[in-house]
Amino acid sequence: MASSQVTFLITLFLFSLVFSSMSASEEATTKTLEKKVDVVVEGMVYCQSCNKFGSWSLTGSTPISAAKVSVICKNQKNQVSYYKSFATNANGYFYAQLDGFKMKNNLADHPLQSCQVKLVSSPLQNCNLLTNVNYGLDGSPLRYEKKNFANNDYEAVIYAAGPLAFRPAYCTPSTHN
């Protein structure tokens, strides 16, 4: 084998190594870019016990199935950038996956800064008055409790709203002896 052929083969070999490592690097970058990240808000909705009326106490409260809450996010100009209502499950729990939520400004549009949860409606005729427990009327702020779910191509970052509550329209007056 001539010296020029050996040089050519070595050059070809080195070129193929560089090309394959570049290809692998591009593939890894593409896979990283394809990872879907969802923002999720979770919480509970209760019917506040009559004997706790006027307080934020949820002692003796019962979860409300099919209650509705809304998640509202506003940008730095106080314009609504996301709104959707969600229903609780049979245990009064809601898991609100914010499909379509976008952050244009990483700090100002971050869910902890821009999103709140508000009470919307209760299916219970005997417990359908709104309360401001954990700011359910004004908008319950979100907390990050280090919860997330992740696999190779998906991640859900989960934020929590404080437990919210409706109250009965009529409570039997207590009698004092």
Side-chain angles (χ1 to χ4, degrees), residues 82-102:
Y82 183 88
Y83 176 89
K84 190 170 180 184
S85 66
F86 299 90
T88 60
N89 68 10
N91 300 314
Y93 172 78
F94 64 90
Y95 183 89
Q97 190 170 336
L98 307 187
D99 289 329
F101 176 78
K102 302 259 188 270

mmCIF file with all atom_site columns, all heavy atoms in Angstrom, residues 82-102:
data_model
loop_
_atom_site.group_PDB
_atom_site.id
_atom_site.type_symbol
_atom_site.label_atom_id
_atom_site.label_alt_id
_atom_site.label_comp_id
_atom_site.label_asym_id
_atom_site.label_entity_id
_atom_site.label_seq_id
_atom_site.pdbx_PDB_ins_code
_atom_site.Cartn_x
_atom_site.Cartn_y
_atom_site.Cartn_z
_atom_site.occupancy
_atom_site.B_iso_or_equiv
_atom_site.pdbx_formal_charge
_atom_site.auth_seq_id
_atom_site.auth_comp_id
_atom_site.auth_asym_id
_atom_site.auth_atom_id
_atom_site.pdbx_PDB_model_num
ATOM 1   N N   . TYR A 1 82  ? -53.718 33.238 30.324 1.00 0.00 ? 82  TYR A N   1
ATOM 2   C CA  . TYR A 1 82  ? -54.222 31.859 30.365 1.00 0.00 ? 82  TYR A CA  1
ATOM 3   C C   . TYR A 1 82  ? -55.434 31.815 31.277 1.00 0.00 ? 82  TYR A C   1
ATOM 4   O O   . TYR A 1 82  ? -55.436 32.414 32.347 1.00 0.00 ? 82  TYR A O   1
ATOM 5   C CB  . TYR A 1 82  ? -53.146 30.900 30.898 1.00 0.00 ? 82  TYR A CB  1
ATOM 6   C CG  . TYR A 1 82  ? -53.604 29.466 30.876 1.00 0.00 ? 82  TYR A CG  1
ATOM 7   C CD1 . TYR A 1 82  ? -53.416 28.683 29.742 1.00 0.00 ? 82  TYR A CD1 1
ATOM 8   C CD2 . TYR A 1 82  ? -54.255 28.904 31.959 1.00 0.00 ? 82  TYR A CD2 1
ATOM 9   C CE1 . TYR A 1 82  ? -53.864 27.367 29.701 1.00 0.00 ? 82  TYR A CE1 1
ATOM 10  C CE2 . TYR A 1 82  ? -54.702 27.604 31.924 1.00 0.00 ? 82  TYR A CE2 1
ATOM 11  C CZ  . TYR A 1 82  ? -54.504 26.833 30.800 1.00 0.00 ? 82  TYR A CZ  1
ATOM 12  O OH  . TYR A 1 82  ? -54.962 25.538 30.752 1.00 0.00 ? 82  TYR A OH  1
ATOM 13  N N   . TYR A 1 83  ? -56.471 31.105 30.841 1.00 0.00 ? 83  TYR A N   1
ATOM 14  C CA  . TYR A 1 83  ? -57.660 30.886 31.678 1.00 0.00 ? 83  TYR A CA  1
ATOM 15  C C   . TYR A 1 83  ? -58.278 29.556 31.293 1.00 0.00 ? 83  TYR A C   1
ATOM 16  O O   . TYR A 1 83  ? -58.454 29.263 30.105 1.00 0.00 ? 83  TYR A O   1
ATOM 17  C CB  . TYR A 1 83  ? -58.711 31.990 31.486 1.00 0.00 ? 83  TYR A CB  1
ATOM 18  C CG  . TYR A 1 83  ? -59.966 31.689 32.275 1.00 0.00 ? 83  TYR A CG  1
ATOM 19  C CD1 . TYR A 1 83  ? -60.091 32.128 33.584 1.00 0.00 ? 83  TYR A CD1 1
ATOM 20  C CD2 . TYR A 1 83  ? -60.991 30.929 31.735 1.00 0.00 ? 83  TYR A CD2 1
ATOM 21  C CE1 . TYR A 1 83  ? -61.217 31.831 34.330 1.00 0.00 ? 83  TYR A CE1 1
ATOM 22  C CE2 . TYR A 1 83  ? -62.120 30.621 32.477 1.00 0.00 ? 83  TYR A CE2 1
ATOM 23  C CZ  . TYR A 1 83  ? -62.225 31.076 33.771 1.00 0.00 ? 83  TYR A CZ  1
ATOM 24  O OH  . TYR A 1 83  ? -63.334 30.769 34.516 1.00 0.00 ? 83  TYR A OH  1
ATOM 25  N N   . LYS A 1 84  ? -58.594 28.769 32.293 1.00 0.00 ? 84  LYS A N   1
ATOM 26  C CA  . LYS A 1 84  ? -59.315 27.526 32.058 1.00 0.00 ? 84  LYS A CA  1
ATOM 27  C C   . LYS A 1 84  ? -59.912 27.060 33.379 1.00 0.00 ? 84  LYS A C   1
ATOM 28  O O   . LYS A 1 84  ? -59.332 27.269 34.438 1.00 0.00 ? 84  LYS A O   1
ATOM 29  C CB  . LYS A 1 84  ? -58.393 26.447 31.492 1.00 0.00 ? 84  LYS A CB  1
ATOM 30  C CG  . LYS A 1 84  ? -59.143 25.218 31.019 1.00 0.00 ? 84  LYS A CG  1
ATOM 31  C CD  . LYS A 1 84  ? -58.260 24.275 30.243 1.00 0.00 ? 84  LYS A CD  1
ATOM 32  C CE  . LYS A 1 84  ? -59.069 23.076 29.791 1.00 0.00 ? 84  LYS A CE  1
ATOM 33  N NZ  . LYS A 1 84  ? -58.228 22.081 29.121 1.00 0.00 ? 84  LYS A NZ  1
ATOM 34  N N   . SER A 1 85  ? -61.104 26.449 33.305 1.00 0.00 ? 85  SER A N   1
ATOM 35  C CA  . SER A 1 85  ? -61.704 25.898 34.518 1.00 0.00 ? 85  SER A CA  1
ATOM 36  C C   . SER A 1 85  ? -61.504 24.384 34.536 1.00 0.00 ? 85  SER A C   1
ATOM 37  O O   . SER A 1 85  ? -61.400 23.742 33.484 1.00 0.00 ? 85  SER A O   1
ATOM 38  C CB  . SER A 1 85  ? -63.178 26.268 34.622 1.00 0.00 ? 85  SER A CB  1
ATOM 39  O OG  . SER A 1 85  ? -63.912 25.655 33.585 1.00 0.00 ? 85  SER A OG  1
ATOM 40  N N   . PHE A 1 86  ? -61.456 23.846 35.751 1.00 0.00 ? 86  PHE A N   1
ATOM 41  C CA  . PHE A 1 86  ? -61.219 22.427 35.966 1.00 0.00 ? 86  PHE A CA  1
ATOM 42  C C   . PHE A 1 86  ? -62.170 21.920 37.042 1.00 0.00 ? 86  PHE A C   1
ATOM 43  O O   . PHE A 1 86  ? -62.533 22.664 37.952 1.00 0.00 ? 86  PHE A O   1
ATOM 44  C CB  . PHE A 1 86  ? -59.773 22.184 36.429 1.00 0.00 ? 86  PHE A CB  1
ATOM 45  C CG  . PHE A 1 86  ? -58.741 22.641 35.430 1.00 0.00 ? 86  PHE A CG  1
ATOM 46  C CD1 . PHE A 1 86  ? -58.243 23.935 35.468 1.00 0.00 ? 86  PHE A CD1 1
ATOM 47  C CD2 . PHE A 1 86  ? -58.279 21.781 34.456 1.00 0.00 ? 86  PHE A CD2 1
ATOM 48  C CE1 . PHE A 1 86  ? -57.296 24.357 34.552 1.00 0.00 ? 86  PHE A CE1 1
ATOM 49  C CE2 . PHE A 1 86  ? -57.325 22.198 33.529 1.00 0.00 ? 86  PHE A CE2 1
ATOM 50  C CZ  . PHE A 1 86  ? -56.840 23.480 33.576 1.00 0.00 ? 86  PHE A CZ  1
ATOM 51  N N   . ALA A 1 87  ? -62.551 20.656 36.949 1.00 0.00 ? 87  ALA A N   1
ATOM 52  C CA  . ALA A 1 87  ? -63.443 20.038 37.928 1.00 0.00 ? 87  ALA A CA  1
ATOM 53  C C   . ALA A 1 87  ? -62.660 19.111 38.849 1.00 0.00 ? 87  ALA A C   1
ATOM 54  O O   . ALA A 1 87  ? -61.662 18.508 38.438 1.00 0.00 ? 87  ALA A O   1
ATOM 55  C CB  . ALA A 1 87  ? -64.548 19.264 37.221 1.00 0.00 ? 87  ALA A CB  1
ATOM 56  N N   . THR A 1 88  ? -63.133 19.007 40.077 1.00 0.00 ? 88  THR A N   1
ATOM 57  C CA  . THR A 1 88  ? -62.512 18.085 41.031 1.00 0.00 ? 88  THR A CA  1
ATOM 58  C C   . THR A 1 88  ? -63.004 16.662 40.771 1.00 0.00 ? 88  THR A C   1
ATOM 59  O O   . THR A 1 88  ? -64.072 16.452 40.204 1.00 0.00 ? 88  THR A O   1
ATOM 60  C CB  . THR A 1 88  ? -62.848 18.472 42.482 1.00 0.00 ? 88  THR A CB  1
ATOM 61  O OG1 . THR A 1 88  ? -64.265 18.442 42.659 1.00 0.00 ? 88  THR A OG1 1
ATOM 62  C CG2 . THR A 1 88  ? -62.305 19.843 42.828 1.00 0.00 ? 88  THR A CG2 1
ATOM 63  N N   . ASN A 1 89  ? -62.206 15.701 41.228 1.00 0.00 ? 89  ASN A N   1
ATOM 64  C CA  . ASN A 1 89  ? -62.616 14.301 41.090 1.00 0.00 ? 89  ASN A CA  1
ATOM 65  C C   . ASN A 1 89  ? -63.519 13.904 42.261 1.00 0.00 ? 89  ASN A C   1
ATOM 66  O O   . ASN A 1 89  ? -63.932 14.768 43.048 1.00 0.00 ? 89  ASN A O   1
ATOM 67  C CB  . ASN A 1 89  ? -61.386 13.391 40.967 1.00 0.00 ? 89  ASN A CB  1
ATOM 68  C CG  . ASN A 1 89  ? -60.557 13.321 42.240 1.00 0.00 ? 89  ASN A CG  1
ATOM 69  O OD1 . ASN A 1 89  ? -60.944 13.793 43.312 1.00 0.00 ? 89  ASN A OD1 1
ATOM 70  N ND2 . ASN A 1 89  ? -59.381 12.724 42.136 1.00 0.00 ? 89  ASN A ND2 1
ATOM 71  N N   . ALA A 1 90  ? -63.792 12.638 42.410 1.00 0.00 ? 90  ALA A N   1
ATOM 72  C CA  . ALA A 1 90  ? -64.698 12.148 43.457 1.00 0.00 ? 90  ALA A CA  1
ATOM 73  C C   . ALA A 1 90  ? -64.183 12.454 44.864 1.00 0.00 ? 90  ALA A C   1
ATOM 74  O O   . ALA A 1 90  ? -64.967 12.496 45.812 1.00 0.00 ? 90  ALA A O   1
ATOM 75  C CB  . ALA A 1 90  ? -64.916 10.645 43.298 1.00 0.00 ? 90  ALA A CB  1
ATOM 76  N N   . ASN A 1 91  ? -62.878 12.694 45.003 1.00 0.00 ? 91  ASN A N   1
ATOM 77  C CA  . ASN A 1 91  ? -62.281 12.983 46.310 1.00 0.00 ? 91  ASN A CA  1
ATOM 78  C C   . ASN A 1 91  ? -62.047 14.467 46.552 1.00 0.00 ? 91  ASN A C   1
ATOM 79  O O   . ASN A 1 91  ? -61.353 14.848 47.491 1.00 0.00 ? 91  ASN A O   1
ATOM 80  C CB  . ASN A 1 91  ? -60.956 12.231 46.453 1.00 0.00 ? 91  ASN A CB  1
ATOM 81  C CG  . ASN A 1 91  ? -61.141 10.740 46.331 1.00 0.00 ? 91  ASN A CG  1
ATOM 82  O OD1 . ASN A 1 91  ? -62.048 10.164 46.929 1.00 0.00 ? 91  ASN A OD1 1
ATOM 83  N ND2 . ASN A 1 91  ? -60.305 10.102 45.532 1.00 0.00 ? 91  ASN A ND2 1
ATOM 84  N N   . GLY A 1 92  ? -62.584 15.327 45.677 1.00 0.00 ? 92  GLY A N   1
ATOM 85  C CA  . GLY A 1 92  ? -62.410 16.771 45.835 1.00 0.00 ? 92  GLY A CA  1
ATOM 86  C C   . GLY A 1 92  ? -61.069 17.292 45.362 1.00 0.00 ? 92  GLY A C   1
ATOM 87  O O   . GLY A 1 92  ? -60.723 18.440 45.597 1.00 0.00 ? 92  GLY A O   1
ATOM 88  N N   . TYR A 1 93  ? -60.315 16.465 44.651 1.00 0.00 ? 93  TYR A N   1
ATOM 89  C CA  . TYR A 1 93  ? -58.967 16.809 44.191 1.00 0.00 ? 93  TYR A CA  1
ATOM 90  C C   . TYR A 1 93  ? -59.007 17.259 42.740 1.00 0.00 ? 93  TYR A C   1
ATOM 91  O O   . TYR A 1 93  ? -59.704 16.672 41.920 1.00 0.00 ? 93  TYR A O   1
ATOM 92  C CB  . TYR A 1 93  ? -58.073 15.569 44.319 1.00 0.00 ? 93  TYR A CB  1
ATOM 93  C CG  . TYR A 1 93  ? -56.699 15.690 43.717 1.00 0.00 ? 93  TYR A CG  1
ATOM 94  C CD1 . TYR A 1 93  ? -55.680 16.380 44.370 1.00 0.00 ? 93  TYR A CD1 1
ATOM 95  C CD2 . TYR A 1 93  ? -56.411 15.102 42.486 1.00 0.00 ? 93  TYR A CD2 1
ATOM 96  C CE1 . TYR A 1 93  ? -54.409 16.472 43.821 1.00 0.00 ? 93  TYR A CE1 1
ATOM 97  C CE2 . TYR A 1 93  ? -55.133 15.185 41.934 1.00 0.00 ? 93  TYR A CE2 1
ATOM 98  C CZ  . TYR A 1 93  ? -54.150 15.870 42.607 1.00 0.00 ? 93  TYR A CZ  1
ATOM 99  O OH  . TYR A 1 93  ? -52.902 15.967 42.054 1.00 0.00 ? 93  TYR A OH  1
ATOM 100 N N   . PHE A 1 94  ? -58.263 18.329 42.425 1.00 0.00 ? 94  PHE A N   1
ATOM 101 C CA  . PHE A 1 94  ? -58.136 18.717 41.014 1.00 0.00 ? 94  PHE A CA  1
ATOM 102 C C   . PHE A 1 94  ? -56.668 18.671 40.599 1.00 0.00 ? 94  PHE A C   1
ATOM 103 O O   . PHE A 1 94  ? -55.768 18.987 41.364 1.00 0.00 ? 94  PHE A O   1
ATOM 104 C CB  . PHE A 1 94  ? -58.753 20.096 40.721 1.00 0.00 ? 94  PHE A CB  1
ATOM 105 C CG  . PHE A 1 94  ? -58.096 21.259 41.401 1.00 0.00 ? 94  PHE A CG  1
ATOM 106 C CD1 . PHE A 1 94  ? -57.051 21.944 40.806 1.00 0.00 ? 94  PHE A CD1 1
ATOM 107 C CD2 . PHE A 1 94  ? -58.545 21.694 42.637 1.00 0.00 ? 94  PHE A CD2 1
ATOM 108 C CE1 . PHE A 1 94  ? -56.452 23.026 41.429 1.00 0.00 ? 94  PHE A CE1 1
ATOM 109 C CE2 . PHE A 1 94  ? -57.951 22.772 43.267 1.00 0.00 ? 94  PHE A CE2 1
ATOM 110 C CZ  . PHE A 1 94  ? -56.902 23.441 42.664 1.00 0.00 ? 94  PHE A CZ  1
ATOM 111 N N   . TYR A 1 95  ? -56.471 18.219 39.373 1.00 0.00 ? 95  TYR A N   1
ATOM 112 C CA  . TYR A 1 95  ? -55.161 18.138 38.729 1.00 0.00 ? 95  TYR A CA  1
ATOM 113 C C   . TYR A 1 95  ? -55.323 18.883 37.425 1.00 0.00 ? 95  TYR A C   1
ATOM 114 O O   . TYR A 1 95  ? -55.909 18.373 36.483 1.00 0.00 ? 95  TYR A O   1
ATOM 115 C CB  . TYR A 1 95  ? -54.788 16.670 38.495 1.00 0.00 ? 95  TYR A CB  1
ATOM 116 C CG  . TYR A 1 95  ? -53.419 16.450 37.897 1.00 0.00 ? 95  TYR A CG  1
ATOM 117 C CD1 . TYR A 1 95  ? -52.308 16.313 38.721 1.00 0.00 ? 95  TYR A CD1 1
ATOM 118 C CD2 . TYR A 1 95  ? -53.237 16.349 36.523 1.00 0.00 ? 95  TYR A CD2 1
ATOM 119 C CE1 . TYR A 1 95  ? -51.044 16.088 38.182 1.00 0.00 ? 95  TYR A CE1 1
ATOM 120 C CE2 . TYR A 1 95  ? -51.973 16.123 35.980 1.00 0.00 ? 95  TYR A CE2 1
ATOM 121 C CZ  . TYR A 1 95  ? -50.886 15.988 36.813 1.00 0.00 ? 95  TYR A CZ  1
ATOM 122 O OH  . TYR A 1 95  ? -49.640 15.762 36.279 1.00 0.00 ? 95  TYR A OH  1
ATOM 123 N N   . ALA A 1 96  ? -54.872 20.117 37.403 1.00 0.00 ? 96  ALA A N   1
ATOM 124 C CA  . ALA A 1 96  ? -55.099 21.015 36.270 1.00 0.00 ? 96  ALA A CA  1
ATOM 125 C C   . ALA A 1 96  ? -53.851 21.106 35.408 1.00 0.00 ? 96  ALA A C   1
ATOM 126 O O   . ALA A 1 96  ? -52.904 21.810 35.741 1.00 0.00 ? 96  ALA A O   1
ATOM 127 C CB  . ALA A 1 96  ? -55.496 22.392 36.785 1.00 0.00 ? 96  ALA A CB  1
ATOM 128 N N   . GLN A 1 97  ? -53.857 20.381 34.301 1.00 0.00 ? 97  GLN A N   1
ATOM 129 C CA  . GLN A 1 97  ? -52.745 20.430 33.358 1.00 0.00 ? 97  GLN A CA  1
ATOM 130 C C   . GLN A 1 97  ? -52.959 21.644 32.469 1.00 0.00 ? 97  GLN A C   1
ATOM 131 O O   . GLN A 1 97  ? -53.937 21.721 31.741 1.00 0.00 ? 97  GLN A O   1
ATOM 132 C CB  . GLN A 1 97  ? -52.716 19.148 32.540 1.00 0.00 ? 97  GLN A CB  1
ATOM 133 C CG  . GLN A 1 97  ? -51.481 18.988 31.721 1.00 0.00 ? 97  GLN A CG  1
ATOM 134 C CD  . GLN A 1 97  ? -51.387 17.587 31.125 1.00 0.00 ? 97  GLN A CD  1
ATOM 135 O OE1 . GLN A 1 97  ? -51.955 16.640 31.637 1.00 0.00 ? 97  GLN A OE1 1
ATOM 136 N NE2 . GLN A 1 97  ? -50.678 17.475 30.027 1.00 0.00 ? 97  GLN A NE2 1
ATOM 137 N N   . LEU A 1 98  ? -52.054 22.611 32.517 1.00 0.00 ? 98  LEU A N   1
ATOM 138 C CA  . LEU A 1 98  ? -52.236 23.881 31.828 1.00 0.00 ? 98  LEU A CA  1
ATOM 139 C C   . LEU A 1 98  ? -51.787 23.780 30.370 1.00 0.00 ? 98  LEU A C   1
ATOM 140 O O   . LEU A 1 98  ? -50.778 24.358 29.965 1.00 0.00 ? 98  LEU A O   1
ATOM 141 C CB  . LEU A 1 98  ? -51.492 25.003 32.554 1.00 0.00 ? 98  LEU A CB  1
ATOM 142 C CG  . LEU A 1 98  ? -51.784 25.180 34.048 1.00 0.00 ? 98  LEU A CG  1
ATOM 143 C CD1 . LEU A 1 98  ? -51.117 26.434 34.575 1.00 0.00 ? 98  LEU A CD1 1
ATOM 144 C CD2 . LEU A 1 98  ? -53.267 25.193 34.326 1.00 0.00 ? 98  LEU A CD2 1
ATOM 145 N N   . ASP A 1 99  ? -52.569 23.047 29.575 1.00 0.00 ? 99  ASP A N   1
ATOM 146 C CA  . ASP A 1 99  ? -52.272 22.916 28.145 1.00 0.00 ? 99  ASP A CA  1
ATOM 147 C C   . ASP A 1 99  ? -52.323 24.285 27.487 1.00 0.00 ? 99  ASP A C   1
ATOM 148 O O   . ASP A 1 99  ? -53.271 25.039 27.674 1.00 0.00 ? 99  ASP A O   1
ATOM 149 C CB  . ASP A 1 99  ? -53.288 21.994 27.465 1.00 0.00 ? 99  ASP A CB  1
ATOM 150 C CG  . ASP A 1 99  ? -53.115 20.543 27.866 1.00 0.00 ? 99  ASP A CG  1
ATOM 151 O OD1 . ASP A 1 99  ? -51.974 20.140 28.150 1.00 0.00 ? 99  ASP A OD1 1
ATOM 152 O OD2 . ASP A 1 99  ? -54.122 19.819 27.896 1.00 0.00 ? 99  ASP A OD2 1
ATOM 153 N N   . GLY A 1 100 ? -51.295 24.628 26.754 1.00 0.00 ? 100 GLY A N   1
ATOM 154 C CA  . GLY A 1 100 ? -51.251 25.901 26.054 1.00 0.00 ? 100 GLY A CA  1
ATOM 155 C C   . GLY A 1 100 ? -50.638 27.036 26.853 1.00 0.00 ? 100 GLY A C   1
ATOM 156 O O   . GLY A 1 100 ? -50.492 28.143 26.349 1.00 0.00 ? 100 GLY A O   1
ATOM 157 N N   . PHE A 1 101 ? -50.274 26.788 28.109 1.00 0.00 ? 101 PHE A N   1
ATOM 158 C CA  . PHE A 1 101 ? -49.635 27.835 28.922 1.00 0.00 ? 101 PHE A CA  1
ATOM 159 C C   . PHE A 1 101 ? -48.263 28.150 28.340 1.00 0.00 ? 101 PHE A C   1
ATOM 160 O O   . PHE A 1 101 ? -47.478 27.263 28.067 1.00 0.00 ? 101 PHE A O   1
ATOM 161 C CB  . PHE A 1 101 ? -49.505 27.378 30.379 1.00 0.00 ? 101 PHE A CB  1
ATOM 162 C CG  . PHE A 1 101 ? -48.783 28.360 31.248 1.00 0.00 ? 101 PHE A CG  1
ATOM 163 C CD1 . PHE A 1 101 ? -49.429 29.487 31.715 1.00 0.00 ? 101 PHE A CD1 1
ATOM 164 C CD2 . PHE A 1 101 ? -47.458 28.170 31.591 1.00 0.00 ? 101 PHE A CD2 1
ATOM 165 C CE1 . PHE A 1 101 ? -48.768 30.415 32.518 1.00 0.00 ? 101 PHE A CE1 1
ATOM 166 C CE2 . PHE A 1 101 ? -46.783 29.077 32.393 1.00 0.00 ? 101 PHE A CE2 1
ATOM 167 C CZ  . PHE A 1 101 ? -47.442 30.193 32.855 1.00 0.00 ? 101 PHE A CZ  1
ATOM 168 N N   . LYS A 1 102 ? -47.988 29.437 28.143 1.00 0.00 ? 102 LYS A N   1
ATOM 169 C CA  . LYS A 1 102 ? -46.710 29.872 27.576 1.00 0.00 ? 102 LYS A CA  1
ATOM 170 C C   . LYS A 1 102 ? -46.085 30.925 28.488 1.00 0.00 ? 102 LYS A C   1
ATOM 171 O O   . LYS A 1 102 ? -46.779 31.758 29.059 1.00 0.00 ? 102 LYS A O   1
ATOM 172 C CB  . LYS A 1 102 ? -46.915 30.493 26.199 1.00 0.00 ? 102 LYS A CB  1
ATOM 173 C CG  . LYS A 1 102 ? -47.582 29.577 25.195 1.00 0.00 ? 102 LYS A CG  1
ATOM 174 C CD  . LYS A 1 102 ? -46.570 28.971 24.265 1.00 0.00 ? 102 LYS A CD  1
ATOM 175 C CE  . LYS A 1 102 ? -47.213 28.205 23.147 1.00 0.00 ? 102 LYS A CE  1
ATOM 176 N NZ  . LYS A 1 102 ? -47.455 26.840 23.396 1.00 0.00 ? 102 LYS A NZ  1
#
